[in-house]
């Protein structure tokens, strides 16, 4: 009997897995290099051990040599090695000596039972072996699964395990083949598992390749990151040093911040109030914008109409001119005819007197003839007179008759000439009547045209007024300071006259007419544009018309500020104050006050009552002087006046004289008083130069009894001292000190404007008395207008340019939207 377990599968010399191992030798070697030699060796040893144990088969196999002797009565020596042995045992028959040989049969049966027991034991051993083998295989499978999980966790360790798994799988395959005879379902399962594992391995290989690529990519990225890290480190070092420098700055900034925080609180409070105000304004704005839009359309319509009217006007003017020339020619022909008529009349009169004469002569001659005839009759009757006398008388009579005949002829001739003259006169009369009627017709046409011209001019004026109003509204909405420029005429007896000519011209292009000014300096042309430019021909009235609306708004409850800025002698005082004694040359201050009093009176019928208070001060050498102080000398003795602004934006000067005024006469008197008190002096540039800043303030309180409305307006009219170059002024002593003080305060004004223009957080209002006093006008909610006065002489061009530049900067400053101060 063979000593092998029946059906035990032979170990194939070369399994498919072995082949695979050879095929993948190169990558395996590579992997081995990766995972290390020791691991490979130990896994191979483990694989070999496993193979040996499988080849050895199940342990409880009973061989013939190991079994007890065959003939042993207890069944020893019986051996089962195959299925046939078992079948032989089952086919064995009980043979007794006879039917009744129960003992023999019984022994045989015992023997048979023993064999059966051995057989059963063999089966049991065999089963135990298989079970142990199965257990081993299961254990192996679990290990495989664990390793498989580990493979998934780490690619490198997976590769090592992959080697082992390959070997182990090969062994498992062998074992499974071995077991397959007995446990087919397990084999199928294992095969499926193997296939699955193979697929998985393939996937892992692909993944490995992609991971390798990823690794390489990451390697390059890492290099780049290292490089950027180095760069960053350098930058950090640089930043570190900058930070050290900055921390010093930070310290200083912190201190500044502390100070600014305090200011911020004040500003926030202001801001809160402004926001409330802003909300109401936005409402007002939207209404205004709607109006502005509507007005814009009206303006464009008016502009079109204006253009049409202007064209019409031009053609009408041409027509008028031609008609005028016709009229002139008709007039001259009429005059000629009248002359002719007069001549003819004269001639006629002469002829009439001649005729009368002739008639008289004739009557005289006839009377003579009659007396002579009577004489002849007498002579004839008297009979005796000599025939000589008779002949003589006859001759005389004939002569007289001849004279009479010739005179008759002359009379006829004269009558004929008179008739023709009368005819001519009639014709001249007819021509005169025709000319007169033509003249009347033309006169009518001219009147008609003149009416149309007046209408057109009225429309143009209305349109212009509307345009100005809208322009003002837009500027108010923008919140800009408005700037008007005024050029004074060349003064005949000024020092510079005759030495240099005018350096100023005015652009004629449509968009700059009345708003532009060009100045030549060092052969270079400088162009400026303002809200309005008045040339040297503009009268005080022309200038006032432009600001009258602004003055009016002080009565409506606005704060209004008008100030004049410019070089010494450029006409600031002339513009603001003018010549009080001369009606034509009165300046803006008296004209504004007249308008305010007139309007306040006309508003009385609507229930308005106004109360006005005037004050006047000057800032001289950074000191405030009260120009209305009852004891003027007192105020000069160093009395200290301080300026204060309250939260509502009202400005007060402590101890300043405030006078209630009810009429223009009262204010005029005060103005005279102030003009006389003002500090003036002679300089190189101006005979009577103002050496201080003059501030006139009129506070207006209005109340309407019927509507219970109240308004509070302020009108500030300021004549600044003139800017002057020290070198040019030729000032010394007190004059020099004054000039320095003036220039300092004007430079502070310039600083404030500069800061406002740049919208800086801190505006240096407190740097001078002037700027602090003007703070609500420059940085608040008032309507502010600046006059920049210009001297036209070329020698002043340098100063004029700096004045105009300053004015341009002022023009671009936004100071906030004007607010009306009203209460119910
Ligand atoms: N538009 C003008 N028409 C006629 N004369 C003028 C005009 N503007 C100024 N003047 C004359 O020029 C001279 C200087 O003018 P004004 O005194 O007003 O200058 P100012 O700018 O006030 O000078 P200062 O800064 O020195 O006070 C005066 O005699 C004045 O009458």
């Amino acid at each position: 009997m063979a000593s092998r377990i029946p059906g035990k599968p032979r170990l194939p010399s070369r399994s498919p897995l072995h082949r695979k191992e050879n095929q993948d030798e190169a990558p395996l070697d590579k992997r081995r290099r990766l995972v290390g030699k020791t691991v490979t060796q130990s896994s191979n040893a483990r694989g070999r051990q496993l193979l040996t144990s499988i080849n050895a088969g199940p342990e409880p196999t009973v061989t013939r040599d190991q079994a007890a002797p065959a003939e042993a009565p207890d069944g020893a020596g019986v051996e089962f090695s195959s299925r046939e042995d078992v079948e032989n045992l089952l086919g064995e028959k009980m043979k007794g000596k006879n039917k009744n040989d129960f003992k023999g049969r019984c022994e045989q049966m015992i023997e048979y039972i023993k064999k059966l027991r051995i057989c059963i034991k063999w089966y049991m051993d065999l089963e135990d072996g298989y079970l142990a083998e199965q257990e081993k295989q299961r254990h192996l499978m679990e290990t495989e699964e664990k390793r498989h999980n580990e493979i998934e966790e780490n690619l490198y360790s997976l590769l090592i395990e992959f080697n082992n798994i390959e070997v182990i799988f090969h062994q498992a395959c062998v074992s499974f083949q071995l077991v397959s005879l007995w446990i087919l379902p397990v084999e199928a399962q294992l095969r499926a598992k193997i296939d699955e594992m193979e697929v998985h391995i393939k996937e892992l290989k692909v993944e490995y390749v992609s991971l390798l690529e990823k690794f390489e990519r990451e390697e390059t990225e890492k290099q780049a990151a290292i490089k950027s890290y180095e760069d960053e480190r350098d930058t950090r070092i640089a930043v570190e040093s900058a930070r050290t420098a900055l921390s010093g700055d930070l310290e200083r900034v912190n201190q500044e911040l502390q100070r600014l925080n305090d200011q911020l609180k004040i500003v926030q409070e202001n801001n809160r109030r402004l926001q409330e105000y802003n909300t109401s304004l936005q409402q007002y704005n939207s209404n205004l914008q709607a109006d502005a839009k509507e007005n814009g359309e009206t303006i464009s319509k008016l502009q079109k109409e204006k253009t049409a009217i202007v064209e019409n006007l031009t053609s009408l003017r041409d027509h008028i001119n031609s008609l005028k020339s016709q009229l002139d020619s008709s007039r001259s022909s009429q005059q000629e005819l009248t002359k002719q008529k007069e001549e003819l009349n004269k001639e006629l009169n002469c002829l009439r007197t001649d005729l009368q004469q002739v008639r008289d002569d004739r009557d005289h001659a006839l009377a003579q003839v009659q007396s002579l005839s009577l004489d002849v009759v007498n002579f004839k009757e008297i009979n005796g007179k000599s025939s000589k006398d008779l002949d003589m008388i006859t001759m005389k009579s004939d002569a007289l008759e001849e004279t009479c005949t010739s005179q008759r002829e002359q009379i006829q001739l004269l009558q004929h000439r008179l008739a023709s003259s009368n005819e001519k006169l009639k014709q001249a009369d007819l021509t005169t009547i025709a000319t007169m009627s033509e003249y009347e017709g033309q006169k009518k046409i001219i009147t008609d045209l003149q009416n149309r011209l007046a209408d057109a001019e009225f429309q143009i004026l209305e349109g212009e007024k509307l345009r100005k109003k809208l322009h003002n509204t837009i500027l108010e909405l923008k919140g800009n300071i408005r700037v008007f420029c005024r050029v004074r005429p060349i003064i005949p007896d000024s020092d510079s006259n005759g030495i240099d000519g005018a350096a100023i011209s005015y652009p004629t292009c449509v968009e700059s007419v009345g708003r532009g000014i060009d100045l030549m300096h060092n052969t270079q042309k400088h162009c400026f544009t303002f809200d309005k430019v008045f040339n040297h021909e503009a009268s005080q009235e022309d200038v006032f018309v432009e600001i009258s609306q602004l003055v009016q708004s002080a009565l409506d409850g606005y704060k209004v500020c008008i100030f004049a800025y410019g070089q010494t002698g450029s006409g600031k005082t002339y513009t603001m104050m003018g010549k009080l004694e001369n009606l034509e040359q009165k300046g803006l201050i008296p004209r504004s006050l007249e308008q305010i009093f007139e309007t306040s009176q006309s508003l009385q019928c609507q229930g308005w009552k106004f109360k006005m208070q005037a004050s006047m001060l000057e800032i001289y050498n950074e000191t405030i002087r009260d120009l209305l102080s009852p004891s003027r000398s007192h105020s000069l003795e160093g009395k200290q006046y301080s300026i204060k602004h309250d939260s509502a934006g009202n400005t007060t000067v402590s101890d300043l004289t405030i006078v209630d005024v009810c009429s223009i006469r009262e204010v005029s008197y005060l103005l005279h008083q102030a003009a006389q008190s003002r500090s003036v002096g002679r300089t190189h540039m101006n005979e009577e130069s103002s050496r201080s800043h003059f501030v006139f303030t009129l506070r207006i309180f209005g109340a309407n009894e019927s509507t219970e409305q109240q308004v509070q307006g302020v009108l500030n009219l300021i004549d600044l001292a003139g800017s002057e170059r020290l070198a040019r002024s030729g000032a010394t002593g007190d004059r020099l000190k004054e000039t320095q003080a003036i220039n300092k305060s004007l430079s502070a004004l310039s600083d404030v404007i500069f800061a406002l223009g740049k919208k800086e957080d801190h505006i240096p209002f407190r740097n001078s008395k002037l700027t602090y006093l003007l703070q609500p006008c420059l940085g608040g909610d008032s309507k502010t207008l600046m006059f920049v006065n210009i001297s036209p002489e070329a020698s002043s061009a340098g100063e004029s340019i700096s004045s105009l530049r300053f004015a341009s900067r002022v023009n671009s400053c936004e100071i906030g939207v004007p607010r009306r101060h009203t209460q119910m």
Side-chain angles (χ1 to χ4, degrees):
M1 222 181 259
S3 63
R4 275 195 312 111
I5 298 168
K8 182 179 170 187
R10 274 186 296 124
L11 187 69
S13 60
R14 271 290 202 241
S15 74
L17 274 171
H18 272 98
R19 276 200 301 279
K20 198 161 182 160
E21 188 181 24
N22 282 341
Q23 279 165 7
D24 293 343
E25 207 159 2
L28 262 175
D29 281 344
K30 201 171 158 192
R31 273 175 251 149
R32 275 185 198 122
R33 273 201 303 280
L34 278 169
V35 295
K37 212 172 169 183
T38 327
V39 179
T40 316
Q41 280 169 354
S42 71
S43 66
N44 285 345
R46 225 172 33 232
R48 268 198 303 278
Q49 200 181 355
L50 201 67
L51 271 172
T52 321
S53 72
I54 291 168
N55 285 338
E59 270 174 20
T61 305
V62 182
T63 61
R64 193 168 283 174
D65 301 336
Q66 287 167 328
E71 297 309 317
D74 54 353
V78 178
E79 190 184 339
F80 293 95
S81 60
S82 68
R83 205 180 174 94
E84 288 104 57
D85 293 345
V86 178
E87 277 170 1
N88 284 342
L89 179 67
L90 292 173
E92 231 175 72
K93 288 193 174 140
M94 298 294 126
K95 288 177 231 164
K97 287 172 185 168
N98 50 50
K99 263 188 179 176
N100 298 323
D101 189 7
F102 290 109
K103 196 185 168 206
R105 275 187 179 182
C106 199
E107 282 172 354
Q108 242 184 346
M109 195 69 86
I110 289 165
E111 192 60 32
Y112 189 69
I113 288 165
K114 276 179 185 169
K115 278 180 185 172
L116 275 175
R117 273 189 186 142
I118 290 167
C119 181
I120 288 164
K121 195 169 181 300
W122 177 71
Y123 261 111
M124 278 166 66
D125 288 347
L126 197 61
E127 200 182 356
D128 285 348
Y130 281 135
L131 281 172
E133 181 63 18
Q134 203 175 349
E135 191 59 36
K136 236 190 219 171
Q137 291 300 327
R138 198 177 292 128
H139 182 68
L140 264 175
M141 279 296 290
E142 280 171 7
T143 324
E144 295 307 316
E145 274 178 8
K146 268 184 196 166
R147 282 189 185 165
H148 177 65
N149 286 339
E150 279 169 18
I151 286 165
E152 279 178 351
E153 280 167 16
N154 190 320
L155 182 69
Y156 292 139
S157 63
L158 191 77
L159 281 168
I160 300 159
E161 291 307 318
F162 172 64
N163 263 343
N164 294 339
I165 286 166
E166 272 190 329
V167 176
I168 290 158
F169 272 169
H170 170 65
Q171 290 166 355
C173 206
V174 172
S175 304
F176 285 154
Q177 280 176 357
L178 195 72
V179 173
S180 64
L181 292 169
W182 306 95
I183 312 160
L184 280 170
V186 174
E187 187 199 356
Q189 238 178 0
L190 280 172
R191 270 190 201 287
K193 202 96 179 168
I194 288 163
D195 290 341
E196 211 176 281
M197 291 302 267
E198 273 176 351
V199 169
H200 192 66
I201 287 162
K202 272 181 192 163
E203 281 174 7
L204 284 170
K205 275 178 182 169
V206 171
E207 199 180 330
Y208 168 62
V209 173
S210 78
L211 276 170
L212 265 180
E213 282 169 8
K214 197 174 166 189
F215 173 74
E216 276 166 11
R217 255 202 324 273
E218 275 174 359
E219 191 65 28
T220 45
E221 276 173 14
K222 195 178 99 187
Q223 290 300 333
I226 287 168
K227 199 169 176 309
S228 78
Y229 167 74
E230 280 168 4
D231 290 349
E232 212 171 277
R233 196 181 52 202
D234 293 343
T235 321
R236 204 173 52 228
I237 291 164
V239 166
E240 206 50 40
S241 57
R243 200 187 63 178
T244 325
L246 278 173
S247 52
D249 290 351
L250 189 69
E251 191 75 15
R252 279 194 299 282
V253 168
N254 272 339
Q255 287 167 1
E256 179 69 7
L257 192 68
Q258 186 64 34
R259 195 177 61 75
L260 286 174
N261 272 338
D262 298 342
Q263 277 187 2
L264 187 69
K265 277 178 196 157
I266 302 165
V267 169
Q268 274 170 348
E269 178 55 28
N270 282 344
N271 195 22
R272 190 186 56 74
R273 280 193 292 108
L274 277 174
Q275 270 171 357
E276 286 168 14
Y277 166 60
N278 195 25
T279 322
S280 68
L281 255 188
Q282 271 170 0
Q283 179 64 31
Y284 177 64
N285 259 4
S286 58
N287 293 346
L288 270 178
Q289 267 166 7
D291 284 357
K293 205 178 164 192
E294 229 171 68
N295 287 333
E297 283 165 8
T298 322
I299 281 182
S300 59
K301 231 189 263 172
L302 276 173
Q303 286 284 11
K304 274 183 200 160
E305 278 177 22
K306 183 183 153 184
T307 327
I309 285 166
V310 167
E311 280 170 9
N312 206 355
L313 208 63
T314 324
S315 66
L316 282 175
R317 274 190 181 133
D318 293 344
H319 190 56
I320 286 172
N321 287 339
S322 72
L323 282 175
K324 270 183 181 162
S325 58
Q326 270 185 29
L327 189 69
D328 289 344
S329 66
S330 325
R331 267 183 189 150
S332 58
S333 66
Q334 195 196 354
Q335 277 170 357
E336 237 170 63
L337 283 170
T338 321
K339 263 184 198 167
Q340 272 183 15
K341 191 182 155 185
E342 278 168 4
E343 271 170 24
L344 283 170
N345 274 335
K346 269 182 196 167
E347 212 175 315
L348 192 66
N349 287 337
C350 283
L351 284 171
R352 273 184 184 143
T353 41
D354 284 357
L355 190 64
Q356 194 61 39
Q357 185 74 40
V358 171
R359 271 182 188 148
D360 290 348
D361 287 352
R362 188 195 64 185
D363 292 343
H364 186 64
L366 277 173
Q368 268 187 346
V369 169
Q370 276 173 1
S371 73
L372 281 171
S373 303
L374 280 174
D375 283 348
V376 170
V377 172
N378 285 338
F379 274 113
K380 275 178 181 172
E381 281 175 2
I382 293 164
N383 293 319
K385 302 270 173 129
S386 69
S387 59
K388 276 188 182 175
D389 288 345
L390 186 66
D391 289 341
M392 250 179 66
I393 288 163
T394 313
M395 273 174 72
K396 263 186 179 177
S397 163
D398 289 343
L400 279 170
E401 269 179 4
E402 259 178 30
T403 317
C404 206
T405 317
S406 77
Q407 277 181 347
R408 237 183 238 125
E409 278 171 2
Q410 218 177 341
I411 286 167
Q412 274 176 352
L413 191 73
L414 281 172
Q415 272 175 340
H416 190 70
R417 276 175 68 185
L418 182 68
S420 74
S421 290
N422 273 337
E423 194 61 34
K424 266 188 185 174
L425 195 64
K426 265 183 194 167
Q427 266 179 4
D429 278 346
L430 280 175
T431 321
T432 312
I433 288 162
T435 313
M436 280 297 277
S437 63
E438 199 183 331
Y439 170 71
E440 285 301 319
Q442 281 177 356
K443 218 173 156 187
K444 247 188 192 174
I445 293 172
I446 288 169
T447 324
D448 195 32
L449 286 173
Q450 274 171 344
N451 287 341
R452 280 170 70 184
L453 184 68
D455 271 0
E457 274 170 356
F458 178 73
Q459 275 187 12
I460 290 170
L461 278 177
E462 285 299 301
E464 189 62 16
K465 263 189 204 166
L466 188 64
R467 190 196 64 75
K468 266 185 209 159
K469 201 175 160 193
L470 290 172
H471 177 68
N472 289 347
T473 316
I474 290 165
L475 286 178
E476 273 164 23
L477 289 173
K478 272 191 191 169
N480 282 5
I481 299 180
R482 273 189 283 162
V483 174
F484 287 1
C485 171
R486 187 179 191 186
V487 182
R488 76 150 160 71
I490 291 179
I491 300 167
D493 56 349
S494 76
D495 292 347
S496 58
N497 188 35
I499 295 169
D500 55 5
I504 288 166
S505 60
Y506 305 95
T508 48
C509 55
V510 184
E511 63 271 17
S512 300
V513 168
R515 299 194 330 110
I517 178 168
D518 299 342
L519 207 137
M520 282 300 288
H521 183 47
N522 293 339
T523 67
Q524 211 185 331
K525 192 175 177 182
H526 301 264
C527 304
F528 298 90
T529 315
F530 299 105
D531 296 304
K532 182 88 196 160
V533 172
F534 298 100
N535 64 20
H536 60 278
E537 284 174 346
S539 66
Q540 297 285 60
E541 174 64 19
D542 294 339
V543 176
F544 178 69
V545 164
E546 290 294 327
I547 64 138
S548 63
Q549 273 189 11
L550 188 62
V551 172
Q552 177 66 33
S553 51
L555 265 182
D556 298 337
Y558 285 94
K559 272 190 225 145
V560 175
C561 175
I562 302 173
F563 65 94
Y565 174 94
Q567 182 198 355
T568 297
S570 56
K572 296 180 294 297
T573 311
Y574 183 83
T575 301
M576 295 308 288
M577 196 67 94
K579 298 193 171 154
L580 294 175
E581 61 286 347
N582 184 326
L583 280 183
E584 292 268 293
Q585 294 190 32
K586 269 191 296 187
L588 299 185
I589 297 179
R591 282 171 197 266
S592 304
L593 295 171
E594 274 168 23
Q595 177 179 313
I596 281 184
F597 280 106
E598 273 168 24
T599 318
S600 65
Q601 267 166 15
S602 66
L603 285 172
Q604 274 180 6
C605 59
Q606 292 174 24
W608 281 101
K609 274 189 183 157
F610 287 94
K611 186 185 162 199
M612 322 259 181
Q613 290 181 332
S615 63
M616 294 179 217
L617 62 86
E618 70 173 351
I619 302 173
Y620 176 75
N621 284 354
E622 273 304 281
T623 323
I624 291 176
R625 288 178 173 184
D626 183 358
L627 294 176
L628 297 183
S629 170
S631 51
R632 175 90 173 99
S633 54
H634 246 279
S635 66
L636 289 175
E637 280 167 12
K639 190 171 179 182
Q640 291 297 316
Y641 296 90
S642 58
I643 304 164
K644 278 186 191 126
H645 304 298
D646 66 13
S647 57
N650 294 318
T651 306
T652 45
V653 178
S654 64
D655 295 331
L656 191 72
T657 311
I658 295 173
V659 183
D660 285 346
V661 283
C662 306
S663 68
I664 183 67
R665 271 186 57 211
E666 285 176 13
V667 189
S668 298
Y669 170 75
L670 295 176
L671 282 177
H672 270 105
Q673 191 184 330
Q676 276 167 9
S677 307
R678 205 178 158 189
S679 308
V680 286
R682 191 177 193 283
T683 65
H684 278 193
M685 306 298 297
N686 192 359
E687 273 293 303
E688 238 186 50
S689 176
S690 316
R691 309 309 296 157
S692 63
H693 307 301
F694 169 73
V695 182
F696 171 89
T697 307
L698 187 75
R699 284 185 187 75
I700 305 166
F701 305 93
N704 193 318
E705 283 170 353
S706 47
T707 60
E708 293 188 353
Q709 202 184 357
Q710 287 183 353
V711 291
Q712 268 187 47
V714 181
L715 179 65
N716 282 307
L717 300 165
I718 300 163
D719 176 16
L720 297 178
S723 61
E724 197 171 17
R725 284 199 194 136
L726 278 182
R728 217 174 158 211
S729 70
T732 50
D734 278 355
R735 211 41 92 238
L736 178 67
K737 208 175 139 197
E738 281 167 11
T739 311
Q740 281 169 337
I742 291 167
N743 287 347
K744 197 179 152 209
S745 60
L746 290 176
S747 129
L749 178 65
S750 172
D751 291 344
V752 164
I753 296 295
F754 203 74
L756 281 169
K758 284 167 73 181
K759 294 198 169 59
E760 282 178 4
D761 295 336
H762 174 66
I763 312 291
F765 286 116
R766 283 180 181 267
N767 280 3
S768 80
K769 287 258 173 12
L770 174 69
T771 49
Y772 191 47
L773 190 72
L774 289 182
Q775 182 172 353
C777 309
L778 298 174
D781 54 3
S782 74
K783 290 185 178 185
T784 304
L785 170 77
M786 177 179 119
F787 269 96
V788 55
N789 287 87
I790 298 295
S791 304
E793 293 86 15
S795 55
S796 298
E799 268 118 330
S800 298
I801 282 178
S802 37
S803 293
L804 290 170
R805 281 192 183 135
F806 174 70
S808 292
R809 217 183 291 153
V810 171
N811 209 185
S812 61
C813 275
E814 284 175 27
I815 54 164
V817 182
R819 187 163 62 95
R820 201 173 163 214
H821 298 262
T822 56
Q823 279 174 10
M824 289 305 285

